[in-house]
Amino acid sequence: MGRSAGACAPSVSVERGRLRCGARLPQAVFFDLDNTLVHRNASIDLYARRFWRDFGHVMAGGGADDAAAVIKRFDNGGYLPAGSPFASIKQAVSHGLQTELAWRRAPEHETLLAHWERYNAVCTAAMPGAAQAVAWLLSVGARIGVVSNGSHRTRLEKVAQLPFAAAIELTISSESAEVKKPDPAIFLMAADAMGVRPQDCWYVGDHPLNDAQGAMRAGMHPVWLQGFHPWPEDMPAACCAIPALEALAGLADA
């Protein structure tokens, strides 16, 4: 794919304290949650173990791994596929659990939905390398926040489970902001709440449109975490692309 006007070649290297994509070391860094600070599939594995403890006695067979496989299929990485008959991920997951597992006596859909709502967010696993990235950012004086689509309660519950939760000064959800990524307004709201200019912020996320493009349109410097969503061929190349969060922690030594 040819580079369009304003496109940047992916780079994670540093030259005299500056990323070669043009982003100075930040005053603040905002992160996405799922598949950025939080490993979504590992979190589902935690939830599946809780699910099996609570419902295994009415199963005809299988185990927590079977429940996890069903959840991951219906969860679809946290995004409903085009044409989905469900209004939300929680509706899709609870339907899958009710219809795809071998029950001796299947609970009502509402029971499974309530269980997911109660335990999903508190069964949170940090992304490998997240703690190191946060430690490095603190060491260079950056402040840390979260901007994430979803309900405010579940955003706060997920953050609270992270081992570095105390380092996160601000959590803005699409529910609290009343606007969703990739709308630039939610990113601008985060910068304003932190008291920093957008151009002095990085935003780290896994989704090319919702995270990278949204942050760029708000004037932030996007850092795309690879491995979860492919970069669309019709979008300009990412200015900064990293294969893992450890790459953030190593930038100063590159």
Side-chain angles (χ1 to χ4, degrees), residues 212-231:
Q213 189 172 85
M216 183 174 62
R217 288 172 60 205
M220 293 184 180
H221 298 283
V223 180
W224 174 48
L225 179 61
Q226 298 168 311
F228 297 97
H229 298 280
W231 193 269

Side-chain angles (χ1 to χ4, degrees), residues 49-239:
R49 292 199 284 272
R50 174 73 207 206
F51 174 86
W52 206 262
R53 286 199 301 271
D54 293 342
F55 293 104
H57 65 287
V58 291
M59 293 291 183
D65 289 347
D66 300 285
V70 168
I71 295 168
K72 289 171 187 176
R73 179 153 53 88
F74 281 83
D75 177 75
N76 194 45
Y79 290 88
L80 289 172
S84 172
F86 303 105
S88 64
I89 292 294
K90 62 185 179 183
Q91 293 283 347
V93 166
S94 53
H95 172 82
L97 289 170
Q98 187 184 48
T99 60
E100 299 286 324
L101 294 176
W103 296 93
R104 288 192 290 109
R105 186 176 67 257
E108 296 293 328
H109 177 264
E110 290 74 15
T111 300
L112 297 172
L113 180 62
H115 191 273
W116 175 261
E117 290 181 325
R118 170 66 181 85
Y119 292 108
N120 164 50
V122 296
C123 294
T124 289
M127 181 68 72
Q132 296 95 313
V134 167
W136 174 72
L137 290 169
L138 293 176
S139 76
V140 298
R143 300 167 67 190
I144 297 170
V146 163
V147 178
S148 175
N149 285 346
S151 80
H152 199 61
R153 175 185 63 84
T154 57
R155 304 307 91 187
L156 293 176
E157 288 179 344
K158 285 174 183 273
V159 167
Q161 300 303 312
L162 295 171
F164 44 83
I168 297 174
E169 295 185 35
L170 176 72
T171 298
I172 291 186
S173 66
S174 58
E175 182 183 53
S176 66
E178 299 184 339
V179 64
K180 292 183 177 181
K181 299 181 300 181
D183 193 313
I186 193 169
F187 300 95
L188 294 172
M189 189 178 301
D192 183 66
M194 195 79 86
V196 294
R197 301 181 307 169
Q199 59 265 41
D200 294 325
C201 301
W202 293 357
Y203 186 86
V204 185
D206 65 298
H207 198 279
L209 175 61
N210 289 351
D211 296 327
Q213 189 172 85
M216 183 174 62
R217 288 172 60 205
M220 293 184 180
H221 298 283
V223 180
W224 174 48
L225 179 61
Q226 298 168 311
F228 297 97
H229 298 280
W231 193 269
E233 292 186 359
D234 60 350
M235 280 177 57
C239 286

